[in-house]
Every structure is written in structure tokens, then in C-alpha cells.
Amino acid sequence: MSDRLGVVLVNLGTPEKPTAAAVRKFLAEFLSDQRVVEIPKPIWQIILNCFILPFRPGKVAEAYQSIWTEDGSPLLAITKRQVAALKENLAEDVASGDILIRYAMTYGSPSIEDVVTEMESYSGDEYIDRILILPLYPQFSATTTGAVYDQVARLTMSRRDIPNLVVHKQYYQLDSYIEALAGSIARYREQHGSAEKLLFSFHGIPRRCVDLGDPYYCQCKETAERTVAKLGLEADDWEISFQSRLGKAEWLKPYTSNLLESWGESGVNSVQVVCPAFAADCLETLEEIKIENRDVFLEAGGKNYSMIPCLNDDPDHIQMLANIVKSYKNVL
């Protein structure tokens, strides 16, 4: 048996192409996960297959087309860059074979199971038996990281020889994460100037999830509060909101689009938006925040609007991830 450590960076996933067919395939898998939608499965499958999948993929595909790059999906391209940067940061361990780094997606390809299976057979008789699953979600939610735990549980249930495998639950609480986030905001403002308002727009989840015990809201709040304290901002300089809601149920509030509209109508001239729930820019940041919500703010009377990029492959972000990996090197 080998002492090598396998590391799997996990993100949500993405359609393979910006087409209605590819989006439909992705949404069918994503929205069928009961971690994502907790409506009783028989009822939800009727809603999903009769009212969502026949109509929504075309609209979502158009949104993907507006952000698609020569390298494909931004989320996939950035995740690959993150893996490359992490390998470079841990170059000595990677070169010696002590650490093997890959990426996987919760939905779509490559799957967590496929990547773990590859690692198990990576080096013949000295296969990798110690595997760190590192979800790229700073804040924990059952709707995101919880789904990763589910897939790992199903994977271990299918094995007779179970690998020594651990999921890193969250990293919003790390000083190095807050420093990386605050540093990225400070550098952006040094280059582009400051806005009247800094908005922390987190991915939304249904309010019911929090009422039932999901810690996500509290972790988002703490993320924003610690970041503005690091930046030295006053209470009137910033706000927290939630985006990307689905369906008619109440989600975490305030809603990003509603808050931006009210700011524009009330005379706020300039806004900068940062999205700390996302480790990589994706559809929800590059289209929903950078384009769609920009239009909401400007049409309501606002003058200047910009989005601060996610941490992506920022060196401070990669160093923070490397520190997490190193903390497991001699523990697993």
C-alpha cells in the first residue's frame, strides 16, 4: 500500500456544451438530486419532466452561450487552472508522487466516483488508499457539500475494500480564506476605485432549509462580517444578499435583484458585487450577476455597476487550498 495522498477538487458541474440538449441533460441530473430540491420525489419528477425540462434548457443555453469561451465552460476552464496552480504550489510533493491532484464534478463529468476509481488503480500494486475530497464551497450547505457527502457514501457502499477517504466540510472560517477574499476586493478597488456600496451576493437556498438546521446562512453572514472588518468598512458601506432562486417558495432574503433595484431607485449611484459562495466564476456570476443584475441596477437609476471576480486561481486562494491539503498529508 502507498502513502500517497489523492486530492480531488470538487465543483458543482457544467453542461458539456452551451446547447439546449446538453443543458437538459445536466439539469435533469442536477435537479433530480433531493439535496437540491426537497419536494417529494414523485411530485417533483412530474414538475421537472413536464414543466421545467421541456422549457427551461433553451433559455439557460442562451445564457451559457453569452459566457462560453474558447476553452469551453468558464467553470470547467477555471477549475482546470486551479488544479494546475495547486500542482505548481505543491510541486515537490507532486513530482515525487506523494500527492496526486485531480478534479471532479458533483453533476456531469468527470464524476467523483470515476476520479476516485482512477486513483484507486493509479499506481498498480501501490494504489492510492488515502483520498481527500475537497469541495470548492467555502460555506457548507446540505444542498451543495451535502450532495458531495451523499455521493461519497454511495461510493463506499459499493466497495468491499473502502479507501481511507475524507471530505473537507468547509473553509469559510479560515483566516487565510478571509484574507484572500478581502485581498481580492481591496486590489480590485485600488485598481478601479471604490463604489458607494459593496454587495456580498451569495447563492440562495430555500428558507426552509435554514429553518431545519442548515448552517449556510450563518456562515455566509460571518464570511461577510469578517471580510468587511478586514477591509475596515462601515455598516452603511455594504450589504448581504442572495441570488439564483428557483420556484415560488421563499428563499433566503434579501434577494439580490430586488435589493439592487431598490438601491437604484433610491439614488445609490455605484455598486460593486462580490460572490463569496463561488470559488470559480460561472453562469451565476458571469451572466446572472455581471450581466442580468447589472441591467436591473442601471434600469432602476443606478450609474456604475461592476462585479469583482471570484477568487478563481488567485495565488492567495491557491495557497489557502494548498494549506488545507498539507494539513491532511500526514493525518489520513
Side-chain angles (χ1 to χ4, degrees), residues 80 120 137 139 168 185 195 248 300:
K80 288 180 178 179
E120 288 178 311
Y137 306 118
Q139 302 81 21
H168 189 80
I185 295 169
K248 297 182 179 180

Side-chain angles (χ1 to χ4, degrees), residues 35-55:
R35 284 289 193 182
V36 177
V37 181
E38 296 184 357
I39 297 172
K41 193 168 185 177
I43 297 173
W44 175 244
Q45 284 299 312
I46 293 173
I47 297 172
L48 178 62
N49 289 291
C50 295
F51 299 100
I52 295 179
L53 293 181
F55 306 106

